Amino acid sequence: MTRTPVNVTVTGAAGQIGYALLFRIASGHLLGADVPVNLRLLEIPQGLKAAEGVAMELDDCAFPLLRGITITDSAATAFDGANVGLLVGARPRTAGMERGDLLQANGGIFGPQGKAINDHAADDIKVLVVGNPANTNALIAQRNAPDVPAERFTAMTRLDHNRAVAQLAKKAGVTVDDVKKVTIWGNHSATQYPDLFQAEIAGKSGFEATGSDQAWVENDFIPTVAKRGAAIIEVRGASSAASAANAAIDHVHTWVNGTPAGDWTSMGIVSDGSYGVPEGLISSFPVTTKDGKFEIVQGLELSDFSRARIDASVAELAEERDAVQQLGLI
Ligand code: NAD
Ligand code: LMR
């Protein structure tokens, strides 16, 4: 059976993450090995030539699933009929900055792109915002797209989720596929709360499997995951790219194809008020996905420690929302 190609728009296509992302989309890792794709590459005018170079390399791979490439600096053209939008294009932070410091520089990108999605994307559009600060940029895009259901706008905390899984597997001495039900709560920032208390590791609770060591949780595990982005910038000299692209692939693949039984994932999504997170904020939650839809995992019992950590990260999201409101971006 010949399938209709899915239109995938990638912004910032000539950047580092774009370079690590596009070849995997074109080879079937985003949506599935039997799903043909059209790539729509959005860049600013100065990035168009480099995007053309990337497109030449994509051609040279002769990917059987890649049906077309459009390169443009027009958001209206890039999102015309888009089924999936990966909003990567934004400035990365450099050493010494927090991700929130990018709001002023990057916030202005996401309103016009939200509007272009609103006016031109396909009815089933799914959006993942990667560009930092990802949660609040996703909020800006979502608020500028009033005709698109709010749940179609998501922010990436899958990289934090994957980082947490890797740290837990190392500590517990197991392989990553033994680590289930990890959650990133809140903001993709240093306040995020990577939660191992709900996790299951090779038949034990996450806490037990890692030695029942509260000091390790507080002084090692949580800061290692939450500050991993800064650590990569310091050691690599540039912000994470291949792991970020990999997480974007994982996020969309899981959204479209479902979470495995007995596990969940973490996604930044518009809050419906669950777990006391104010409605409308884009915050990370534990979610299961099925048939292209997600649901927040309900009924988890949170300790005072977990509650306080979630509240602190959510308070930061509320501050970022107020800041972009003052800037007139939402
Ligand atoms: P980069 O500087 O290598 O590439 C960014 C690209 O975006 C550039 O080619 C630039 O020309 C383009 N761009 C800028 N404004 C644009 C616009 N309005 N429309 C279209 N394209 C535009 O940066 P990178 O390393 O690829 O990182 C991109 C973003 O992703 C950064 O904000 C970074 O902080 C963020 N990031 C997020 C996560 C996460 O987990 N959420 C992880 C890693 C990086
Ligand atoms: C990351 O988590 O690696 C990215 O958000 C880049 C950064 O600024 O930390």
Side-chain angles (χ1 to χ4, degrees), residues 72-264:
T72 179
D73 61 0
S74 152
T77 305
F79 287 109
D80 188 29
N83 306 106
V84 177
L86 302 176
L87 276 52
V88 179
R91 197 189 129 183
R93 66 174 162 156
T94 42
M97 289 173 85
E98 286 301 331
R99 298 179 185 107
D101 298 336
L102 291 169
L103 253 191
Q104 193 112 24
N106 288 341
I109 295 173
F110 292 85
Q113 290 183 0
K115 188 164 180 351
I117 288 167
N118 190 67
D119 295 347
H120 301 284
D123 287 347
D124 66 349
I125 179 75
K126 288 181 166 59
V127 178
L128 168 63
V129 175
V130 175
N132 278 318
N135 299 53
T136 300
N137 288 338
L139 182 72
I140 296 168
Q142 183 263 316
R143 291 285 188 88
N144 281 274
D147 303 333
V148 178
E151 70 269 16
R152 304 290 186 71
F153 285 84
T154 65
M156 192 163 94
T157 52
R158 184 61 176 264
L159 179 54
D160 311 291
H161 181 101
N162 289 347
R163 287 167 171 164
V165 168
Q167 293 299 321
L168 291 171
K170 251 189 213 169
K171 177 73 174 171
V174 299
T175 53
V176 289
D177 50 350
D178 277 333
V179 180
K180 315 271 190 222
K181 299 187 178 176
V182 170
T183 306
I184 305 296
W185 298 91
N187 200 1
H188 173 62
S189 77
T191 68
Q192 68 179 259
Y193 175 45
D195 181 357
L196 62 62
F197 293 102
Q198 312 291 339
E200 293 172 8
I201 303 180
K204 293 185 182 161
S205 80
F207 188 58
E208 264 183 297
T210 52
S212 303
D213 183 350
Q214 183 68 20
W216 178 77
V217 174
E218 287 185 41
N219 304 327
D220 199 330
F221 171 65
I222 294 174
T224 298
V225 175
K227 296 181 182 168
R228 187 72 163 182
I232 302 277
I233 289 168
E234 199 189 312
V235 177
R236 184 178 175 261
S239 87
S240 64
S243 56
N246 179 67
I249 297 273
D250 284 351
H251 176 112
V252 173
H253 190 273
T254 302
W255 189 355
V256 171
N257 295 298
T259 37
D263 202 1
W264 65 59

